[in-house]
Amino acid sequence: MNDKRFAKRNNFITSSEIREILKVTQQPEIISFAGGLPAPELFPIEEIKKACIEVLNTNGEAALQYSTTEGYIPLRIAICKRMANLQITTSLDNILMISGSQQALDLMGKVFIDEGDTIICENPTYLAAINAFKTYMPSFKGVSMDEEGMIMEELEKVLQNTPNAKFIYTIPDFQNPTGRTMALERRKKIVELANKYDVFILEDNPYGEIRFSGEKLPPVKHFDTEGRVIYLSTFSKIFAPGLRLGWMCADKPIMEKLVPLKQSADLHTDVFSQMITSKYLEMFDIEEHIEKIREIYRHRRQLMVDSMDKYFPKNIKHTLPDGGLFLWVMLPEGIDCERIFDKAIKNNVAFVPGTPFFPNRDHNNQFRLNYSNMPDNRIVEGIKRLGEVLKSELEK
Amino acid sequence: MNDKRFAKRNNFITSSEIREILKVTQQPEIISFAGGLPAPELFPIEEIKKACIEVLNTNGEAALQYSTTEGYIPLRIAICKRMANLQITTSLDNILMISGSQQALDLMGKVFIDEGDTIICENPTYLAAINAFKTYMPSFKGVSMDEEGMIMEELEKVLQNTPNAKFIYTIPDFQNPTGRTMALERRKKIVELANKYDVFILEDNPYGEIRFSGEKLPPVKHFDTEGRVIYLSTFSKIFAPGLRLGWMCADKPIMEKLVPLKQSADLHTDVFSQMITSKYLEMFDIEEHIEKIREIYRHRRQLMVDSMDKYFPKNIKHTLPDGGLFLWVMLPEGIDCERIFDKAIKNNVAFVPGTPFFPNRDHNNQFRLNYSNMPDNRIVEGIKRLGEVLKSELEK
């Protein structure tokens, strides 16, 4: 890795640890709770076909030509309307279409991070965000969570001690990896703290609309008073991830930095996919479609939890998400999840070990399970297999 | 720009100079030779519709689901076959699908550039490459060109004096902005020099297949002996830029750096667009389609050149491209193209001033014209209007 022909940042890129894990888990005999895939049987294929035909019949040349960096205007208008339902008031000029919400993480690094700056995040947090930020060589400070999300007293202490903090990265709704949701009061508090300590907040909300129990909460962006919250979301979980369509919502001074960097990164996002999505929103009822997703995921989450209660040893804790795709398992201290992973693979079941979700790798007894991508019988059988492994390790 | 909340790199990003120019030129009364758009009337809309329907009928779930970072395998295999026609022997594992070839420029910055490193390029070179690289804060050394491309004696001198050079960026075929093509002997020589001075070469070849006169030359990559040439190309000029589909071809040690950084940047490229393109290549004859593009562009280039001969003052030089989308106009020394630009806009005709194509902005008497995106009568009328401006400036 010390090859001087390459940039220094390559030394910080974990050489695709998770890629290797996902490769192992793709063997057909393995029941894998490792990925983070939506249920493909719910993709509205016929409706998308109709939208494609309509776009190509009525607006084919524009759909296939170069377009603007900011994105397709009718889609951005539709997004503003949908965000109003989430109690975020915004306008066209504050929406930037991006190539999947992952791209926002890279753009945030570009706009904000100099080598040695600090990013504050939930501990644990989304693995691919850690990797995207690492490209720009920051340090990380992770803030502990409880069942109501990031602990605000700890966040304030971190802010006091971190003058070079650039932004707080948070996933308030059904967080990846834990499935936890930030409580209402903390959503207000985090904005207060950002104002007080002069930092930005990156609110990553890919799962917010997949709430299947509990009360709907306004996004952190709703409480933004000083244009400090950069909000990002995606069509990947409510529509189709293959189209790589996400958006950022930010105030003008941030947009002025984001747009030229987005342009340098890939000129603009696939405009055919933007127009298909826009046409779909016009022709069909996406709320009805999302309701179907919620029902299925609610059912699968419940089945997974019930199976865990049945097959797991009693001293294992787990979260109980009100939405999203993931839940989080916490083993007793001293049990190494990577060791459990190796045994699980031998028993033909897989998950993602939790350690890489902690930016400073300071816990290794936790792991992530995905429940959105699996039929009932595989959920039950997989959890049973995993229970066998856990029992053999914990009760020996 | 000295707002410390933002990363230092923002100070190096030219605040979208060209974006402002393109905005001005979009007024309907202006005949604009400023953009770089393919002719949209040639997009194979009906064929793409058939390919969409076929993909969604036979493979809809995969087309809409998350996919691999490297890209859709059947498309990468098809690309290998097409590259063999260009005398590049490669394999699947050396092809990375990217979100338009612009993304390659960002990825090259990520893989290679530390602050203060030097990038060597043609002088002038592709403006959006300069901007993409600038994100990573290098210096630039531009190598002068003649009608046979980059001058190799000057390149060698630059290499001798630049120990921190990381790569040579070149567009050998119908270069953007000049339309010039690198001669055969120089293609061999540039590889020799890269080997001798231990640098990489980034060969950007978006236009290579749009050759409408002269003899086809093998890409620089064909002469690569040590895996130093990273080749990149795109479907934007031969198929549809709206789909944002390009590819990189590189040896294994480079691919190992590129893939995790591509994954951090946007997980993977739109898989529906990849599958549509792959299906199109399977169902239809793209060679026949490209031949149509060549014919039209040959005709438009000739019409533009003939009109320039008729309407421009006699002391103005211009290139005579054998392919691609652009030609380059060289005014006498001391004539400022930005001043000409302002006058041209008043006369309802536009181009891109040449200065920003020189990374160190060391020439200001040149400008770029695009001929691919305009019907005959507009080409003639636009060049006539531009001729009036040039005459009034040069003959006063």
Side-chain angles (χ1 to χ4, degrees):
Chain A
M1 291 292 270
N2 285 319
D3 189 334
K4 286 197 173 172
R5 298 177 307 170
F6 300 114
K8 195 168 62 170
R9 70 179 60 80
N10 292 282
N11 300 331
F12 297 86
I13 309 299
T14 8
S15 63
S16 55
E17 178 177 28
I18 205 82
R19 290 170 57 78
E20 294 312 311
I21 288 173
L22 290 175
K23 265 183 205 163
V24 172
T25 65
Q26 272 162 13
Q27 296 158 23
E29 65 278 16
I30 290 183
I31 296 178
S32 175
F33 304 119
L37 304 185
E41 66 273 24
L42 298 180
F43 294 151
I45 298 177
E46 288 305 314
E47 290 83 352
I48 289 176
K49 199 196 298 174
K50 285 179 186 140
C52 281
I53 292 169
E54 189 63 20
V55 166
L56 290 171
N57 282 346
T58 59
N59 215 352
E61 289 191 3
L64 301 171
Q65 184 60 285
Y66 284 112
S67 183
T68 60
T69 300
E70 291 85 347
Y72 183 56
I73 290 178
L75 180 59
R76 287 154 67 212
I77 292 173
I79 285 171
C80 289
K81 284 188 193 149
R82 301 200 74 249
M83 287 182 63
N85 298 338
L86 303 176
Q87 304 186 53
I88 298 175
T89 308
T90 189
S91 75
L92 182 58
D93 293 337
N94 299 109
I95 304 291
L96 172 64
M97 297 308 305
I98 50 177
S99 307
S101 67
Q102 181 71 29
Q103 187 175 42
L105 306 170
D106 183 55
L107 291 174
M108 285 296 290
K110 283 193 164 92
V111 169
F112 288 102
I113 306 176
D114 282 321
E115 182 176 356
D117 284 343
T118 299
I119 303 307
I120 299 173
C121 60
E122 285 138 2
N123 204 32
T125 190
Y126 174 47
L127 175 57
I130 301 173
N131 286 336
F133 299 149
K134 270 189 180 169
T135 310
Y136 302 94
M137 298 185 281
S139 304
F140 292 90
K141 287 198 180 169
V143 176
S144 309
M145 306 173 81
D146 59 21
E147 292 313 307
E148 302 203 325
M150 205 183 259
I151 295 170
M152 290 296 131
E153 294 70 26
E154 186 173 328
L155 173 60
E156 181 150 22
K157 272 184 204 141
V158 169
L159 284 165
Q160 280 165 353
N161 296 318
T162 314
N164 68 345
K166 282 294 179 77
F167 60 84
I168 306 165
Y169 173 63
T170 179
I171 309 164
D173 288 2
F174 330 123
Q175 195 229 21
N176 182 356
T178 65
R180 288 172 182 138
T181 293
M182 188 184 281
L184 183 64
E185 284 309 311
R186 295 194 189 174
R187 290 173 191 238
K188 298 175 189 167
K189 185 72 182 175
I190 196 173
V191 172
E192 252 180 68
L193 291 174
N195 290 347
K196 181 170 171 188
Y197 292 95
D198 190 19
V199 296
F200 290 94
I201 295 173
L202 175 59
E203 177 177 26
D204 189 357
N205 190 17
Y207 318 112
E209 301 214 54
I210 320 285
R211 177 182 278 280
F212 43 67
S213 62
E215 200 189 337
K216 204 167 149 180
L217 297 174
V220 172
K221 177 76 181 161
H222 170 73
F223 300 104
D224 189 15
T225 50
E226 301 182 357
R228 290 182 181 277
V229 182
I230 297 133
Y231 177 90
L232 76 107
S233 191
T234 174
F235 286 102
S236 291
K237 306 307 183 296
I238 58 173
F239 189 55
L243 301 183
R244 311 304 306 119
L245 216 49
W247 68 93
M248 303 181 79
C249 171
D251 275 32
K252 198 175 172 209
I254 318 285
M255 285 296 282
E256 284 173 354
K257 306 287 182 201
L258 283 169
V259 172
L261 287 166
K262 160 72 181 169
Q263 187 174 35
S264 288
D266 62 5
L267 297 185
H268 63 80
T269 293
D270 187 328
V271 62
F272 185 37
S273 288
Q274 292 186 65
M275 289 172 75
I276 292 168
T277 304
S278 179
K279 189 56 78 180
Y280 173 89
L281 294 174
E282 193 187 306
M283 293 172 73
F284 302 100
D285 183 355
I286 196 172
E287 304 308 331
E288 204 175 279
H289 175 63
I290 296 172
E291 188 51 38
K292 277 187 215 154
I293 297 173
R294 286 188 202 110
E295 273 170 38
I296 295 279
Y297 290 9
R298 178 194 294 118
H299 168 77
R300 289 181 180 173
R301 193 258 348 221
Q302 198 52 45
L303 184 64
M304 181 171 273
V305 164
D306 291 347
S307 305
M308 288 164 76
D309 289 347
K310 187 165 172 192
Y311 295 115
F312 276 18
K314 296 303 160 211
N315 54 342
I316 289 181
K317 284 187 270 185
H318 63 80
T319 57
L320 188 65
D322 281 324
L325 283 66
F326 303 108
L327 59 76
W328 189 243
V329 179
M330 291 154 285
L331 305 175
E333 289 289 338
I335 305 287
D336 181 354
C337 66
E338 310 230 358
R339 186 182 150 83
I340 302 283
F341 177 78
D342 293 340
K343 285 209 154 189
I345 291 294
K346 281 185 197 131
N347 209 27
N348 288 329
V349 58
F351 53 80
V352 185
T355 315
F357 293 93
F358 295 93
N360 299 314
R361 304 181 72 90
D362 47 7
H363 295 274
N364 71 353
N365 64 327
Q366 307 178 21
F367 63 84
R368 190 188 77 177
L369 293 175
N370 166 267
Y371 50 77
S372 60
N373 189 243
M374 195 79 68
D376 290 8
N377 60 334
R378 304 264 290 175
I379 290 179
V380 175
E381 175 60 24
I383 293 296
K384 191 175 162 193
R385 290 181 193 172
L386 190 51
E388 289 161 9
V389 172
L390 292 168
K391 281 185 174 154
S392 78
E393 275 293 300
L394 295 180
E395 296 174 355
K396 68 184 176 189
Chain B
M1 289 293 269
N2 283 320
D3 189 333
K4 285 196 174 171
R5 300 176 305 170
F6 301 114
K8 195 168 63 170
R9 69 179 61 77
N10 292 282
N11 301 331
F12 296 86
I13 309 299
T14 7
S15 62
S16 55
E17 175 177 32
I18 205 82
R19 291 171 55 78
E20 296 311 311
I21 288 173
L22 290 176
K23 266 183 205 160
V24 172
T25 64
Q26 272 161 14
Q27 296 158 23
E29 66 276 17
I30 290 182
I31 295 178
S32 175
F33 304 119
L37 306 185
E41 67 272 25
L42 298 179
F43 293 151
I45 298 178
E46 287 305 313
E47 291 82 353
I48 289 177
K49 198 196 298 173
K50 285 181 186 139
C52 281
I53 293 169
E54 189 64 19
V55 166
L56 289 171
N57 281 346
T58 59
N59 215 351
E61 290 191 2
L64 301 172
Q65 185 58 288
Y66 284 113
S67 185
T68 59
T69 301
E70 291 86 346
Y72 183 57
I73 291 177
L75 180 58
R76 286 154 68 211
I77 292 173
I79 285 170
C80 289
K81 283 187 193 148
R82 302 200 74 247
M83 287 182 63
N85 298 339
L86 303 177
Q87 304 186 54
I88 296 175
T89 308
T90 188
S91 75
L92 182 58
D93 294 336
N94 299 109
I95 305 290
L96 172 64
M97 296 308 305
I98 50 177
S99 306
S101 68
Q102 181 71 28
Q103 189 176 41
L105 306 170
D106 183 55
L107 291 173
M108 286 296 290
K110 283 193 164 89
V111 169
F112 288 102
I113 305 176
D114 282 321
E115 183 177 355
D117 283 345
T118 300
I119 303 308
I120 298 172
C121 60
E122 286 139 359
N123 205 32
T125 189
Y126 174 47
L127 174 58
I130 300 174
N131 286 335
F133 299 150
K134 270 189 180 169
T135 310
Y136 302 93
M137 298 185 281
S139 304
F140 292 90
K141 288 198 179 168
V143 176
S144 310
M145 306 174 80
D146 60 21
E147 292 313 307
E148 302 203 325
M150 204 184 260
I151 295 169
M152 289 297 131
E153 294 69 26
E154 185 173 328
L155 173 62
E156 180 151 20
K157 273 185 203 141
V158 168
L159 284 165
Q160 280 166 352
N161 296 319
T162 316
N164 68 346
K166 281 295 177 76
F167 59 84
I168 306 165
Y169 173 63
T170 179
I171 308 164
D173 287 2
F174 329 123
Q175 195 229 20
N176 182 355
T178 64
R180 288 172 182 137
T181 293
M182 188 184 282
L184 182 65
E185 283 310 311
R186 295 194 189 175
R187 291 171 190 239
K188 298 176 189 166
K189 184 72 182 176
I190 195 172
V191 171
E192 252 182 69
L193 291 174
N195 291 345
K196 181 170 171 188
Y197 292 94
D198 190 19
V199 295
F200 290 95
I201 295 172
L202 175 59
E203 177 177 27
D204 189 357
N205 191 16
Y207 318 111
E209 302 213 55
I210 320 284
R211 178 182 277 281
F212 43 66
S213 63
E215 198 189 339
K216 205 169 149 180
L217 297 173
V220 172
K221 179 75 181 159
H222 170 73
F223 300 104
D224 188 14
T225 50
E226 300 182 358
R228 291 182 180 274
V229 182
I230 297 134
Y231 177 92
L232 77 105
S233 192
T234 175
F235 286 102
S236 291
K237 307 305 184 295
I238 57 173
F239 189 54
L243 302 183
R244 311 302 307 121
L245 215 50
W247 69 92
M248 301 181 80
C249 172
D251 274 33
K252 199 175 171 212
I254 317 285
M255 284 297 280
E256 283 173 355
K257 307 286 181 202
L258 283 170
V259 172
L261 288 166
K262 160 73 180 167
Q263 186 174 34
S264 290
D266 63 4
L267 297 185
H268 62 80
T269 293
D270 188 328
V271 62
F272 185 37
S273 289
Q274 292 185 66
M275 288 172 75
I276 292 168
T277 305
S278 179
K279 188 58 76 180
Y280 173 89
L281 294 174
E282 195 188 305
M283 291 172 72
F284 302 99
D285 183 354
I286 197 172
E287 304 308 330
E288 205 175 276
H289 174 64
I290 297 172
E291 188 51 38
K292 276 185 218 156
I293 297 173
R294 284 187 203 112
E295 273 170 36
I296 295 279
Y297 291 9
R298 178 194 296 116
H299 168 77
R300 290 182 178 172
R301 195 258 346 222
Q302 197 53 45
L303 184 64
M304 182 172 273
V305 165
D306 291 345
S307 305
M308 290 164 77
D309 288 347
K310 186 165 170 192
Y311 296 114
F312 275 18
K314 295 304 158 213
N315 53 342
I316 289 181
K317 284 187 270 185
H318 63 81
T319 57
L320 188 66
D322 281 324
L325 282 67
F326 303 107
L327 58 78
W328 189 241
V329 179
M330 290 154 285
L331 306 175
E333 288 292 335
I335 304 287
D336 181 354
C337 65
E338 311 229 0
R339 184 183 152 84
I340 303 283
F341 177 79
D342 293 338
K343 286 209 155 190
I345 292 294
K346 282 184 197 133
N347 209 28
N348 288 329
V349 59
F351 54 80
V352 185
T355 316
F357 293 94
F358 295 93
N360 299 313
R361 306 181 71 90
D362 47 6
H363 295 273
N364 70 353
N365 63 327
Q366 307 178 20
F367 63 83
R368 190 188 78 177
L369 294 175
N370 167 267
Y371 50 76
S372 60
N373 188 244
M374 196 78 69
D376 289 8
N377 59 334
R378 304 264 289 176
I379 291 180
V380 174
E381 175 60 25
I383 293 296
K384 190 175 161 191
R385 291 181 192 172
L386 191 50
E388 288 160 8
V389 171
L390 291 169
K391 280 185 177 155
S392 78
E393 276 295 300
L394 296 180
E395 296 175 356
K396 70 185 174 187

